[in-house]
Each structure stands twice: as C-alpha cells, then as structure tokens.
Amino acid sequence: MRISNILLMVIFPTAALAEWETNMPRGVTPTSEVAYDLHMLIFYITVVIGIVVFGAMLYSILYHRKSLGHKPAKFHESTKVEIIWTVIPFIILVGMAVPATKALIMMEDTRDSEITLKVTGYQWMWQYEYLEDNVTFFSKISDESNAARRLGSGVDVTTVDNYLRDVDHAIVLPTNTKVRILLTANDVIHAWWVPELGGKKDAIPGYVNEIWVDIKEPGTYRGQCAELCGKDHGFMPIVVHAVSKPEYYKWVGIQKTNRVAKNK
Amino acid sequence: MSTDIEKLHDDHDHGPSSGIMRWITTTNHKDIGTMYLWFSLIMFFIGGLMALVIRAELFQPGLQLVVPGFFNQMTTMHALVMIFGAVMPAFVGLANWQLPIMIGAPDMALPRLNNWSFWILPFAFTMMLSTLFMESGGPAAGWTLYPPLSLQGGDSFPFTILAIHMLGVSSILGAINVIATILNMRAPGMTLMKMPIFVWTWLITAFLLIASMPVLAGAVTMLLTDKFFGTMFFTASGGGDPVMFQHIFWFFGHPEVYILILPAFGIVSTIIPAFSRKRLFGYDSMVYATASIALLSFIVWAHHMFTVGMPLAGEIFFMFTTMLIAIPTGVKVFNWVATMWRGSMTFETPMLFAIAFIVLFTIGGFSGLMLAMVPADFQYHDTYFVVAHFHYVLVPGAVFAIMAAVYYWLPKWTGKMYNEGLGKLHFWLTTIFVNLTFFPMHFVGLAGMPRRIPDYAVQFADFNAIASVGAFGFGLSQLLFVYILFNTLKKDVTAEDKVWEGAEGLEWTLSSPPPYHSFEKAPTVD
C-alpha cells in the first residue's frame, strides 16, 4: 500500500492529496440513504452474477482449448436452459424492482414539508429564495476559485481551499426538518445536485420541479450544477450549511436585518 | 435476339475502372464497403484526437490547455464524430462487404443508391467539422443538442443541423438497401431462420434506423425553426416545452444506441462459434432476443432523462421497461458462454477481441442495470458514472466488435494474412488501456464528478490522471492497428480461401480475395 502510494506520488504529483474516493457517499438524508442502499444492493447482485458468468467463461477458456486436445461437443440448443436463464434473471429483476419502487415513492413524496427553498438556475449562478422566511440571495463561485480557474492563471489550484466547490453566499438549512426544494431556471437547463443530500433534479425554464431533503447531521455539504449549461457549467458550485433549527432562525434574522439595513 | 447480346455482355467480367474514378463512380459493394471502412477509420482518429484534447485538459485540475467553450465543442464533436462518423459507417461498411457474400448475392440490391449513401458522408462531415474553424466555433451544447442551450449556438448551428440531416439521409438510404438486399437476394434455400446471425442483426438494425432517423430529423428541424423562424416549439417563454425536445430526441436516441450495438452482437455471434469450433448455441433464441431488444428500445427512451421531473408513474414505467432489457441481453451473453462451453477453442486476434467484448460489454450492461434504478440514477445521472457506462458498451463493445470483424474478415477481403503476433499485441495494449481509461471514471462519477466539465475539484484528480494516461495509451495503440493494416496490404503471401478452421458460411466458399463480382450464379443452401 505504502509503496504504491509513493509510486503514485512520483507519477501523479496530486496523489499526495489522494482521497481515492471510489463509491457513492451514503449521505445525510433519508433520500441519499435509500439511493445508497439500493446502489449497493444492485452492485452486489451484479458482482454475484458476474462471478458466475465470468467464472463459467474462464473455466471454459482454461479447459476447453484445442491446445489441450479438447474435442468440441455437438450440442447447440436447449429450450430448457433458455427458459431457465430467462426466468431466473426475471425473478432477480423483480427482487430489485420492489425496493427500487418503494424508494422512489418515498423520494417523490414532498408533502408535509416545513420549509420551502426555491432555487433558480442562471448562467452561471444560483438564486435562492426561502419562501416562508422571505430571504433571497444569489450564490456564485467564490472569487478565489474563480480567479484560480482561469486559463493561465498561474495559481496552483491545489492551494485553493475547496477549489471550485466554494461560493460567495452559502445556503443555510435546518437539520431534522423536511425541506422542500423547488427547482426552476431562467435561461437554459441546469441541475441542482449535492451528492450527500440525495439525488439531483433538473432546473428547467418553464417548469417547477420538486425534491426534498431532511438533513440528519449538521455540517457543510458541497455540490455543483450537473446539467451542461454553457461555457461556465463547471463553475456553478452549491454549498449547504446544515445547522440546528435555532441557529437557522438566527441566520434568517440576520439576513433580514441585513436587508433592512441595505434598503435604508 | 437481344438476349444473346445480353449474355455476351454479362460474360464480359469487367473489373474496376482505374484511378480515382473507380472510387467515385463505383457501384460495387466491395469497393463501397472498403470506402466506408477507411472513412470510419479516419473519423475514428479525428474523434480520437478530440478525446485526447479532453483527456489532456482533464489530466490535472485547473485549466491548462483550452478555454471552457472550446472544451464543450470538443465533447460535442467527439460524440458526433464517433457515433455518426466512426461506429455507424464501420458497421455499414461491414454490411456492404459481408451481406452479399454471406447470403450468396452478387451485390447489394440498390447499387447506385449505395454509392450515394456513402458519398454523402464525406461532405456531411466536411461541413460539420468546418464549423470548428468558424469565428463562433463549433456546436458546444453536447451531441444531444438540448434546447434552450443549443439555441444559443452561433453560426455553426445551421451547418451542424444540415450535416445531421445529410447523415440521416445516408443512414436511411443505407438501411433501405440492407433490407431490400436481405429480403430479396438470398440464395435459394436460405430461409430467414437459416441466415447467418450477422445478417439477422443487420436486418433488425436497418429497421431501427428507418424508424428512428426521421424522428431525429424532425427534432433538429424544429430546433432550426425555433432558432430562425420564431416557432418556439421548445422555448418556454413562448409556450413551448424544452423537455419535449428531450422526449423526441431520445425516442430516436435509444434505438440509436442499439443501432450501435446490434451489429456488434452479430459479429460476436459469428466469431465465437468459429473459434470454439462449435455451432452457435441457441440460434433461434439469439434471433428472438435481438428482436426483443429492438422492440423494447422504443419504449425505454425516458430513462435518459429521469431527472427532468416526470410523474412518478412515468418514472416507474420507464424503470421497469429498462430493467426488462436485461433479460434478452442476458440471454445473449449466456448463449455466447454456452457456445464456448466444451468447445475446442483457439485464441487468434478476432477471438480475443470477441471474448473481451463479452466480458467488458457485460460490465457495461451491469452499470446499465444500476442506472435503470431511478432512485440510484438520481445520483448517477449526468456524472462520470454514466460516461464510464456508455464508453464500456461503445468502446470495448461496439469498437472491439468492429476490430474483431476486421481481423476476422481482412484475410478474406485482401487475400492476405495479417501478422498474428502484432494483432495479439494490439489486442492486449488496447484492452489494458481501455480499462485504464474508463474504469476509474466509475469511481469519480460515484464520488460526485459531473460529466461535461472542463475542470474539477481536486479530490477527483488522481483517477482523472489515470484515465488520461490510459486514453493516450489507447490512442497510440491504435497506430499499431494502422501499421498492421498497411503491413498486411503490402504482403504478397496469399491467405487460404477458408482462412479459419472453424469458420462457417458462404463467404468462405469464395476465393481470398473474392472476385470483383462474386456469386453471379447464386449458390444453393441446403
């Protein structure tokens, strides 16, 4: 392990920062958890199928060779086995479809939310509106990332904190609260995605799409636009600070005072 | 009477005319097949260079080489060139060469149409590629051309759409020709259920082409009128619907996916039995499975757009139909393994590519099954996991099958044997690098890297660096393929008529290379 790390550091200088993340995050919401569990379930099923199929193939490749003097068998059809390998996959698929459908029904149920956050995609920033609490602001990539990402900026991007995943105004959401997120766009199609909060949905001009989150753990969660939206598609990060409910309302209060102060 | 004169005329076996006019005016299926294949190879390298621009930029985080706008042109063009310029023409080229000599026909049914369907292609691609040199650059909204973004395109927009129209015309004409040839010109005794499986897969593919290409033509024409005539089909502010474009596009797009893979199934189903020295297991079920996949391809389109906010019932419907595709596809894979089972295998280059196809295509199928699960797809959608998935089914899928077919039939076409050692080297380099390129993409996709971005957060750096190294290795390995081709062509050793011990079919009854006009008298099949 260590030798391979050193080797990799020689080959790839950035390997020093290696996280080698290879899987979907389990996330911190009920929706991200069901997505993860389903993902792992299907993954293990495919691994088992793969072992059986590739195992049979490998055995055949190793032993049924002309060079070993193996003579070809004559069989070339069997309705019985065709039925078997049609029915067994069907049963496996039903076994996958049941939990997937349950999870989907749960994910699409946006009823009984306490807070509604409306998100509007623009080229290339997000607008956030807290409909109940009457807070509105735009959020775009942080100046530091934005300067570093220019062609020929001369900045070593590994020295930039949260490179491309930092914004000027982060969203604040309360934990243990069902938040409904409404998604739309003003120009082209965007998609709002924070992996640890569950799946993405498109923000489409003329449409209002819905998702919901119920964040179980306080923390900072980062994501970005996931639908090609033009030249700066890669530079539309999303940052969510999840805090306790009292802290959230404190934050709402500050936002309102700031706005009142600005308007005066 | 005049019949005598006709007879005389027929006996006069005129070979190809000489010089460039041979290629421009030819109506010979072998010449046209050859042109399709060379064209496809050139496009494979042009599209490959674009992929290398993408991978070079993504080698490290930060922008080092290109601006984001040009990066988007590269991803868009790479897809258009590889799909319409490399893979589809390669399959049509194989169809041109092989269908007549596999069914015992003297040529394609509509030879002049055949000439035309090829010669549209170079013009269409010249026009499409020329947009890269326009002031506003080439198309940059992705090959899927989603509005409203695609409507923001500059001068390249109408040129790209006209080029797509020409490609559509070429494909439809080619498909008509394939159907007319297969249905009318089979040798006496060759019933439909006795046709070589490659012929079957191409017949079904041709129907898919005829059904789906006009839908694409409609969709892009609506884009054109939206842009220039104010129709607002897809513009929300004018009462249009941007999502409707996606529905129409993918109604074409999903059958298109199978257009790119069904002939590959046919090739693998031809090569696996030949080198296992055993008949294809479950021929009938292979035909039915191919037809089922083709039919299902028309009712699964919206699985490309699970995140647009369809109603729950729609999401469930498209999830179930998509999962169903796993069944006929599974039948095919099981049949291939059963064909190998207790055979007497040897592992020449075509067989190696065919075996790698089965393994790596199945891996792509597994990730496809995962993508079908809507709740998980909300995470996978538009990430590198999807990029990994479709490259696994297209590169070690479609492209490997094409490579296998070329190695398998090249000695027949040219009458010369390629260098087996170099062929195997090419196979191993290609297989190692293809996995080095695309396997890490699963990881960065799952970890949260969206596709179509020119720059990324630093936690994705390591796997991207590996993928870029793999991509350059893959690209360079293909130069070896070109060397092998030229090396074979300049040899003077002739190949045997029946090149492979276990090969079956009418094409192996012809000489290697076959005469310019073959099967002027139809053979009889019992």
Side-chain angles (χ1 to χ4, degrees):
Chain A
M1 184 65 196
R2 240 177 251 148
I3 296 168
S4 67
N5 271 352
I6 293 164
L7 259 177
L8 280 163
M9 274 167 65
V10 175
I11 307 168
F12 311 113
T14 51
L17 300 158
E19 290 180 27
W20 297 102
E21 195 58 64
T22 55
N23 203 358
M24 185 190 285
R26 185 146 202 273
V28 290
T29 64
T31 52
S32 72
E33 282 168 9
V34 294
Y36 174 84
D37 292 344
L38 194 64
H39 159 72
M40 291 316 289
L41 171 74
I42 312 300
F43 173 70
Y44 286 125
I45 291 174
T46 59
V47 167
V48 171
I49 299 171
I51 290 172
V52 172
V53 175
F54 299 151
M57 213 169 136
L58 187 67
Y59 180 88
S60 189
I61 288 171
L62 291 179
Y63 295 103
H64 303 150
R65 293 169 167 254
K66 195 187 176 196
S67 56
L68 297 176
H70 196 273
K71 294 273 176 289
K74 292 278 175 236
F75 68 89
H76 61 85
E77 62 189 346
S78 160
T79 312
K80 200 163 75 187
V81 301
E82 298 286 355
I83 290 171
I84 291 172
W85 61 44
T86 307
V87 172
I88 292 178
F90 187 79
I91 294 167
I92 297 173
L93 287 179
V94 172
M96 294 177 182
V98 172
T101 309
K102 270 190 198 153
L104 187 59
I105 290 169
M106 186 273 266
M107 289 172 111
E108 293 289 357
D109 184 1
T110 53
R111 287 170 302 179
D112 306 323
S113 62
E114 287 178 49
I115 291 179
T116 308
L117 171 66
K118 185 180 166 209
V119 180
T120 310
Y122 288 82
Q123 284 174 318
W124 290 273
M125 65 186 91
W126 299 101
Q127 185 189 23
Y128 296 106
E129 295 167 76
Y130 290 75
L131 297 186
E132 287 86 359
D133 297 315
N134 219 3
V135 172
T136 301
F137 57 90
F138 283 91
S139 173
K140 61 181 196 317
I141 190 168
S142 72
D143 291 342
E144 198 189 2
S145 281
N146 202 30
R149 62 110 174 161
R150 304 277 162 191
L151 185 62
S153 67
V155 180
D156 177 6
V157 298
T158 57
T159 63
V160 178
D161 279 346
N162 295 309
Y163 176 61
L164 300 185
R165 287 274 168 120
D166 209 3
V167 294
D168 55 356
H169 287 114
I171 317 162
V172 175
L173 287 177
T175 50
N176 296 311
T177 310
K178 186 165 181 177
V179 180
R180 187 168 67 129
I181 300 177
L182 302 179
L183 298 161
T184 188
N186 197 47
D187 35 45
V188 299
I189 302 173
H190 304 266
W192 196 86
W193 183 37
V194 180
E196 280 162 315
L197 304 190
K200 64 184 75 62
K201 213 157 236 189
D202 293 349
I204 305 170
Y207 274 74
V208 179
N209 277 332
E210 295 182 308
I211 53 173
W212 63 275
V213 298
D214 185 352
I215 305 171
K216 296 298 178 195
E217 279 176 46
T220 301
Y221 305 106
R222 297 170 194 277
Q224 66 187 95
C225 179
E227 174 68 46
L228 179 62
C229 59
K231 71 180 171 65
D232 286 349
H233 162 55
F235 312 103
M236 280 179 73
I238 300 158
V239 179
V240 178
H241 293 307
V243 296
S244 67
K245 230 178 205 169
E247 281 177 79
Y248 167 74
Y249 282 109
K250 216 167 95 189
W251 175 80
V252 168
I254 295 169
Q255 300 303 307
K256 285 186 171 161
T257 349
N258 282 353
R259 196 179 50 195
V260 173
K262 225 189 263 170
N263 288 348
K264 277 180 183 168
Chain B
M1 276 212 354
S2 67
T3 46
D4 287 333
I5 299 165
E6 271 168 23
K7 236 181 223 162
L8 264 178
H9 178 76
D10 283 351
D11 285 347
H12 175 65
D13 179 18
H14 59 93
S17 46
S18 55
I20 184 77
M21 288 313 282
R22 165 180 176 181
W23 301 103
I24 292 174
T25 61
T26 185
T27 55
N28 181 290
H29 74 100
K30 300 183 182 79
D31 282 354
I32 293 172
T34 304
M35 288 197 293
Y36 263 112
L37 289 168
W38 280 115
F39 178 79
S40 150
L41 187 65
I42 293 165
M43 284 295 146
F44 182 57
F45 276 94
I46 293 176
L49 279 177
M50 292 171 179
L52 292 185
V53 172
I54 294 168
R55 283 318 321 170
E57 180 52 65
L58 292 175
F59 179 60
Q60 286 190 319
L63 289 176
Q64 290 87 21
L65 302 170
V66 297
V67 292
F70 187 72
F71 183 91
N72 290 345
Q73 293 173 34
M74 286 294 103
T75 54
T76 305
M77 277 292 194
H78 164 70
L80 289 169
V81 167
M82 285 303 198
I83 294 168
F84 294 103
V87 175
M88 287 171 74
F91 282 136
V92 181
L94 291 170
N96 258 292
W97 252 105
Q98 287 307 126
L99 294 183
I101 62 177
M102 286 176 123
I103 62 173
D107 205 307
M108 295 294 277
L110 309 160
R112 284 167 198 245
L113 196 73
N114 205 9
N115 173 294
W116 194 33
S117 37
F118 171 76
W119 276 109
I120 290 173
L121 286 182
F123 293 97
F125 271 99
T126 306
M127 185 156 67
M128 190 188 280
L129 291 171
S130 70
T131 61
L132 287 172
F133 302 99
M134 289 177 171
E135 213 179 315
S136 59
W143 82 281
T144 50
L145 301 169
Y146 282 5
L149 183 63
S150 61
L151 296 173
Q152 294 181 347
D155 294 340
S156 67
F157 184 78
F159 290 90
T160 310
I161 286 181
L162 186 55
I164 290 173
H165 272 304
M166 289 165 73
L167 298 173
V169 169
S170 161
S171 294
I172 291 168
L173 296 182
I176 290 171
N177 211 345
V178 165
I179 294 172
T181 307
I182 297 174
L183 293 186
N184 295 307
M185 297 180 67
R186 296 191 310 278
M190 184 180 279
T191 57
L192 283 175
M193 291 310 279
K194 277 188 188 165
M195 294 195 307
I197 199 85
F198 178 70
V199 179
W200 252 118
T201 54
W202 240 113
L203 181 65
I204 292 168
T205 304
F207 278 105
L208 287 183
L209 275 167
I210 289 186
S212 70
M213 294 306 288
V215 180
L216 175 67
V220 297
T221 307
M222 287 158 90
L223 278 182
L224 197 72
T225 61
D226 263 17
K227 171 99 176 164
F228 294 106
F229 303 106
T231 46
M232 302 211 173
F233 288 117
F234 307 127
T235 310
S237 59
D241 180 351
V243 177
M244 185 172 68
F245 176 85
Q246 299 185 21
H247 282 291
I248 302 174
F249 180 87
W250 288 113
F251 189 83
F252 144 78
H254 202 78
E256 170 68 21
V257 171
Y258 293 136
I259 289 164
L260 300 173
I261 203 66
L262 293 186
F265 288 165
I267 291 163
V268 171
S269 305
T270 309
I271 290 174
I272 294 285
F275 294 93
S276 303
R277 291 165 182 76
K278 190 160 153 275
R279 270 177 71 180
L280 178 66
F281 187 84
Y283 172 94
D284 293 9
S285 69
M286 284 300 216
V287 172
Y288 300 140
T290 311
S292 321
I293 293 172
L295 290 175
L296 282 172
S297 79
F298 286 103
I299 54 165
V300 297
W301 74 88
H303 70 213
H304 294 271
M305 38 190 284
F306 276 142
T307 61
V308 297
M310 271 180 288
L312 180 64
E315 289 173 342
I316 291 175
F317 172 80
F318 285 109
M319 173 164 74
F320 288 175
T321 51
T322 304
M323 290 168 75
L324 275 182
I325 293 182
I327 293 173
T329 315
V331 166
K332 285 189 155 289
V333 173
F334 300 141
N335 280 341
W336 288 323
V337 176
T339 306
M340 292 163 72
W341 191 254
R342 293 179 55 209
S344 173
M345 277 186 269
T346 51
F347 302 92
E348 289 87 343
T349 313
M351 182 64 162
L352 291 175
F353 272 107
I355 292 174
F357 170 96
I358 300 177
V359 175
L360 300 176
F361 175 82
T362 304
I363 291 175
F366 287 153
S367 55
L369 190 59
M370 296 169 82
L371 284 159
M373 304 290 139
V374 187
D377 180 78
F378 288 154
Q379 291 281 23
Y380 307 138
H381 185 87
D382 261 325
T383 68
Y384 261 82
F385 189 77
V386 177
V387 178
H389 159 71
F390 67 71
H391 280 97
Y392 259 86
V393 289
L394 279 175
V395 186
V399 174
F400 271 33
I402 293 163
M403 298 273 181
V406 169
Y407 280 111
Y408 184 63
W409 283 308
L410 190 66
K412 170 56 63 187
W413 300 335
T414 61
K416 291 160 193 175
M417 195 64 195
Y418 64 88
N419 183 320
E420 191 61 61
L422 285 180
K424 283 184 178 159
L425 178 66
H426 172 230
F427 165 77
W428 285 109
L429 288 173
T430 304
T431 303
I432 290 165
F433 283 122
V434 93
N435 285 294
L436 200 60
T437 311
F438 299 115
F439 211 80
M441 291 185 185
H442 291 113
F443 301 144
V444 286
L446 291 174
M449 179 169 163
R451 61 191 285 212
R452 292 167 165 173
I453 54 173
D455 191 6
Y456 46 82
V458 290
Q459 68 263 34
F460 307 126
D462 303 313
F463 286 124
N464 270 293
I466 294 172
S468 292
V469 171
F472 276 85
F474 179 84
L476 290 173
S477 308
Q478 302 324 306
L479 296 176
L480 178 60
F481 179 59
V482 176
Y483 173 78
I484 293 170
L485 289 180
F486 281 103
N487 183 260
T488 310
L489 289 176
K490 72 166 204 269
K491 276 186 184 171
D492 40 6
V493 206
T494 46
E496 291 166 44
D497 293 350
K498 190 166 187 277
V499 182
W500 311 108
E501 189 192 353
E504 304 250 338
L506 290 174
E507 74 263 40
W508 306 106
T509 63
L510 294 167
S511 61
S512 293
Y516 195 58
H517 296 291
S518 45
F519 291 127
E520 286 172 307
K521 261 198 196 133
T524 320
V525 179
D526 39 62

